[in-house]
Amino acid sequence: MRRLFFLLAFMPLLSLAQQLSSPDGKYTISIDGMTYSVVFNGKTIIEKSQLGILIDNRLFESALAVPRGENEDWCSDLLLRSEERTSVDTTWIPLYGENHRIRDQYNQLVLHYEKGSNGQGVVSEGYDKRKYYAMDMIVRAYNEGIAFRYHFPETSNGLFLHVTGECTSFRMPEGTVGWYQEWAQGPVDKRPLKGNWFESERPLLLQLPAGDYVALLEAGMRDYARGKFRLKADNELQVAMYDCADIISPYDTPWRVMMAGERAVDLINHKELVLNLNAERDNRDWSWVRPGKAFRCCRLDKASILKSIDYCADFGMEYVELDAGWYGPEGKVTSDATRVAETRDFSMPEICQYAKTKGIGVWVYVNQRALYRQLDQLLPLYKEWGISGIKFGFVHVGNQQWTTWLHRAVEKCADYGIMVDIHDEYRPTGLSRTFPNLLTQEGVRGNEEMPDAVNNVTLPFTRYLCGPADYTLCYFNNRVKNTKGHQLAMAAVYYSPLQFYFWYDNPYVDKGEAELQFWKDCPTVFDESIALDGCPGEFIIQARRSGTDWFVGAMTNTEGRTVSIPTAFLPKGQYTVEVYNDNPALDTRTKVQSSTLRIKSPGKPVSLTLQPSGGAALHFVKTK
């Protein structure tokens, strides 16, 4: 059901403070000229901060005889002309996701600004000043957070703007600390908003002195320059664009998003706000998009590939991925991704055909060097071969050119029925709602870096707030710094519609360990997801439902702890619970103990002792 209310208000050309509250009244944003502040639950979480955008349009404006300064705060003399208010409440069904249904409810305020007279000149005859010097501020207040963006209205011939930066800032209360991360796969460091602070990735998690948590995010970034967060002054962060952006009206900049919660897990439970700030998928047939589990094949000879396919079929995985090198050295221009390298003993059609007989799809890794040169050749060829998806490798991210190219490449893949996994530094801003063939992406400090457990129990509150991440789950590799139970729980804690298992391992490395049944049973997409408890850098307890079954993952940092798994989230009834938890006393290869409990809901919590750098996985099955 959709309810829409619309109000258009005209007002004189002067600056008046405007307010917008969320439907539940918990959030209020106040806008006064080109400044704003945000209140959550009666407490100020964003103090008076700057709005605006920097534009250097000297070349364009010289033609209009309107001299401007370099890198001007284009919004400095904007005057409010009118406003529009709307309320929306609707529900949409994602093709797949962490929840079967997503509610999209918000109040919206659109402020229409135009440039005031500044005495610097008169627009040439024939030009309508209001058409060329207008900007809208679009503000939304959700129960999950606040978002705003800048909109440049359509003009008769399209207004060109050379954007050099944003004034958008976030002034936080004194004493706020942030989880600083300089690059997408870099380490995270909790530090105050002062001193040594270059640019931090988004999402950026913050904790206020009163204890509340705030996350700053970016959504709907499709053909713009990526933004990070730079420390403008003590306790004040500013959007730091990777580079300039050239835009033509009508144009919407990315959303700047603020989420808050009294508990850190509140942010996790509200993160679908990022999807709501993106456009819906079109009505084409998307049935070929199939999330699933995958195994990476690194030994690129025919026998090893066929063995990997057999292993996928035996274990219950849906995909095998042929990694870098199948078409030659990925970093060389001479490597041709339209053919298998001459040194290999297989052809791609025969691999795809064999995999098809086993019910397995084939993914291939392709470096951006080849994608950029050959994408239009590769897509029809890969469709003919029967390729299910492409893992984009070593993509360049940040500036407008490569951001636009990358997202257009995802769109082109959709036209050919090919799924996508983007690796390396790319972080999502919700595009998978529009193009659900973009199943997942890296942009995470995952098992390629072999991080410690502190990193791993920070990720749900930081990186995973903006979308799925291809963490690449390991199990038997001896470089992993945490327990088997910790890795096992990741299947429920870390969301990725395409989930890689046994990273760095060979097919049939397992010996039928009982606990691996959890990986076999746990799907990669769900009907309902609830973060039950946790604290950034300390521990996380995540529950997910598929049908009537619930899968729960619990992970701790380098300290052992006892955690309590509540049962109140379960629908009323009787349940059998398979519990897989670390037990160092076991004389087994993995030292994971399997046990069975029978519980009822509502009932007592399930208490578990987690080992240092450990974790546990639980599978709740409702009994008749």
Side-chain angles (χ1 to χ4, degrees):
M1 182 176 68
R2 182 181 181 93
R3 299 194 299 271
L4 177 65
F5 305 94
F6 183 85
L7 172 67
L8 176 64
F10 290 95
M11 57 192 64
L13 290 175
L14 48 85
S15 177
L16 297 174
Q18 307 297 311
Q19 288 192 335
L20 182 71
S21 295
S22 58
D24 63 4
K26 289 187 176 181
Y27 287 93
T28 298
I29 180 171
S30 301
I31 300 176
D32 187 357
M34 284 290 108
T35 66
Y36 78 102
S37 60
V38 177
V39 171
F40 171 70
N41 277 348
K43 294 172 284 188
T44 298
I45 60 170
I46 307 288
E47 298 178 350
K48 187 174 182 180
S49 303
Q50 295 299 309
L51 297 168
I53 197 162
L54 299 171
I55 294 173
D56 180 3
N57 258 29
R58 288 171 295 169
L59 181 62
F60 169 77
E61 293 180 341
S62 65
L64 302 183
V66 182
R68 294 293 201 202
E70 183 178 358
N71 204 39
E72 181 198 14
D73 178 2
W74 195 83
C75 303
S76 60
D77 60 347
L78 285 178
L79 297 175
L80 184 60
R81 180 67 176 177
S82 63
E83 70 170 47
E84 298 173 40
R85 291 181 183 265
T86 58
S87 294
V88 171
D89 187 359
T90 189
T91 299
W92 58 282
I93 308 296
L95 191 67
Y96 56 82
E98 296 179 78
N99 294 284
H100 173 63
R101 301 170 66 87
I102 298 176
R103 189 177 186 181
D104 189 10
Q105 182 187 22
Y106 59 88
N107 294 326
Q108 177 170 284
L109 170 65
V110 180
L111 299 174
H112 299 287
Y113 293 96
E114 65 181 40
K115 298 290 274 184
S117 174
N118 56 16
Q120 292 183 335
V122 179
V123 177
S124 300
E125 185 177 355
Y127 288 97
D128 184 340
K129 185 177 182 181
R130 290 183 181 179
K131 288 183 179 179
Y132 286 97
Y133 296 99
M135 186 192 78
D136 296 339
M137 184 85 183
I138 304 174
V139 188
R140 290 184 183 178
Y142 293 79
N143 294 340
E144 297 78 20
I146 297 288
F148 59 77
R149 74 186 335 174
Y150 306 106
H151 169 76
F152 293 92
E154 182 177 11
T155 61
S156 57
N157 63 344
L159 172 61
F160 169 83
L161 295 170
H162 181 61
V163 179
T164 58
E166 286 191 24
C167 301
T168 310
S169 70
F170 310 85
R171 185 165 185 82
M172 312 304 298
E174 174 72 32
T176 298
V177 295
W179 277 258
Y180 179 86
Q181 186 177 30
E182 202 160 297
W183 68 95
Q185 298 181 73
V188 177
D189 180 32
K190 187 178 179 181
R191 60 176 68 171
L193 302 190
K194 57 185 63 178
N196 183 23
W197 191 293
F198 174 56
E199 291 180 358
S200 187
E201 265 290 359
R202 72 275 189 267
L204 173 59
L205 176 67
L206 303 161
Q207 187 174 24
L208 310 188
D212 291 325
Y213 291 89
V214 173
L216 304 181
L217 306 95
E218 182 175 54
M221 201 279 287
R222 187 167 172 181
D223 56 356
Y224 199 64
R226 178 209 63 206
K228 289 188 180 182
F229 300 103
R230 177 185 296 129
L231 198 60
K232 178 181 179 182
D234 284 359
N235 305 305
E236 185 174 12
L237 297 158
Q238 183 174 11
V239 171
M241 290 173 56
Y242 180 94
D243 202 351
C244 302
D246 292 318
I247 64 176
I248 300 176
S249 65
Y251 189 87
D252 291 302
T253 66
W255 293 99
R256 306 302 171 201
V257 187
M258 294 143 280
M259 295 167 53
E262 294 179 347
R263 304 185 308 157
V265 292
D266 295 339
L267 303 177
I268 299 174
N269 291 325
H270 292 162
K271 64 181 177 180
E272 283 176 329
L273 172 58
V274 174
L275 293 176
N276 278 332
L277 291 167
N278 280 265
E280 298 179 15
R281 66 183 186 272
D282 61 32
N283 59 3
R284 77 179 76 183
D285 178 14
W286 293 98
S287 61
W288 49 272
V289 175
R290 295 187 303 114
K293 304 165 189 175
F295 180 83
R296 181 180 71 148
C297 182
C298 296
R299 295 183 178 180
L300 298 174
D301 59 89
K302 184 176 180 178
S304 295
I305 296 172
L306 298 184
K307 186 177 181 180
S308 296
I309 292 171
D310 291 343
Y311 181 61
C312 289
D314 290 343
F315 192 88
M317 301 188 201
E318 286 77 17
Y319 298 107
V320 67
E321 183 252 346
L322 276 59
D323 214 67
W326 67 268
Y327 62 90
E330 61 171 312
K332 290 191 174 182
V333 175
T334 54
S335 294
D336 182 359
T338 65
R339 59 179 178 81
V340 175
E342 295 179 355
T343 55
R344 305 296 178 187
D345 63 348
F346 63 90
S347 71
M348 198 62 74
E350 70 175 326
I351 294 300
C352 291
Q353 181 58 37
Y354 181 78
K356 185 177 181 181
T357 66
K358 296 285 187 172
I360 303 300
V362 177
W363 284 67
V364 290
Y365 174 98
V366 183
N367 187 283
Q368 188 186 31
R369 183 182 288 274
L371 292 171
Y372 181 69
R373 294 185 298 109
Q374 298 182 292
L375 186 63
D376 291 334
Q377 298 172 262
L378 298 179
L379 294 179
L381 178 62
Y382 288 3
K383 183 176 182 178
E384 180 183 340
W385 285 350
I387 297 295
S388 297
I390 302 174
K391 185 165 76 172
F392 289 19
F394 287 102
V395 296
H396 184 80
V397 296
N399 69 19
Q400 184 182 26
Q401 173 194 345
W402 287 114
T403 297
T404 302
W405 176 88
L406 183 61
H407 293 153
R408 285 180 178 170
V410 172
E411 184 175 2
K412 286 183 178 182
C413 287
D415 293 337
Y416 284 90
I418 292 176
M419 294 175 282
V420 176
D421 174 8
I422 302 173
H423 256 233
D424 305 298
E425 285 288 294
Y426 176 80
R427 283 198 164 178
T429 62
L431 187 70
S432 58
R433 180 185 181 185
T434 311
F435 295 106
N437 63 309
L438 176 55
L439 287 185
T440 192
Q441 50 272 301
E442 194 176 12
V444 65
R445 191 170 181 81
N447 269 340
E448 288 189 347
E449 284 78 27
M450 290 298 177
D452 65 13
V454 175
N455 171 88
N456 293 343
V457 295
T458 301
L459 291 176
F461 305 95
T462 55
R463 165 62 181 86
Y464 279 91
L465 292 182
C466 66
D470 190 3
Y471 182 95
T472 58
L473 279 56
C474 284
Y475 206 70
F476 292 102
N477 190 276
N478 60 14
R479 293 185 293 133
V480 175
K481 295 177 182 176
N482 40 68
T483 71
K484 299 292 190 293
H486 189 96
Q487 290 284 321
L488 199 70
M490 290 178 179
V493 174
Y494 293 165
Y495 171 64
S496 182
L498 181 71
Q499 189 79 275
F500 277 87
Y501 290 90
F502 300 106
W503 195 257
Y504 295 122
D505 285 328
N506 296 317
Y508 298 104
V509 68
D510 67 288
K511 304 299 180 185
E513 282 80 4
E515 74 270 13
L516 291 176
Q517 188 64 41
F518 184 80
W519 275 5
K520 295 179 180 180
D521 292 338
C522 186
T524 65
V525 294
F526 305 90
D527 297 317
E528 186 178 358
S529 297
I530 308 171
L532 299 175
D533 199 3
C535 185
E538 296 183 16
F539 74 103
I540 178 67
I541 305 173
Q542 173 75 51
R544 301 189 189 274
R545 178 178 64 84
S546 177
T548 59
D549 287 12
W550 284 86
F551 300 88
V552 174
M555 297 161 55
T556 184
N557 59 10
T558 52
E559 300 177 9
R561 73 183 66 240
T562 298
V563 296
S564 182
I565 313 293
T567 58
F569 71 93
L570 297 167
K572 185 177 180 180
Q574 303 286 331
Y575 291 84
T576 297
V577 188
E578 297 297 330
V579 182
Y580 308 101
N581 195 4
D582 298 305
N583 183 350
L586 289 180
D587 185 19
T588 63
R589 184 165 68 142
T590 60
K591 298 187 182 300
V592 175
Q593 181 171 323
S594 303
S595 59
T596 302
L597 302 176
R598 287 175 176 81
I599 67 166
K600 65 178 181 179
S601 176
K604 295 180 179 179
V606 177
S607 181
L608 296 175
T609 298
L610 305 182
Q611 298 299 312
S613 300
L618 300 88
H619 182 188
F620 293 77
V621 179
K622 193 170 186 179
T623 55
K624 295 181 180 180

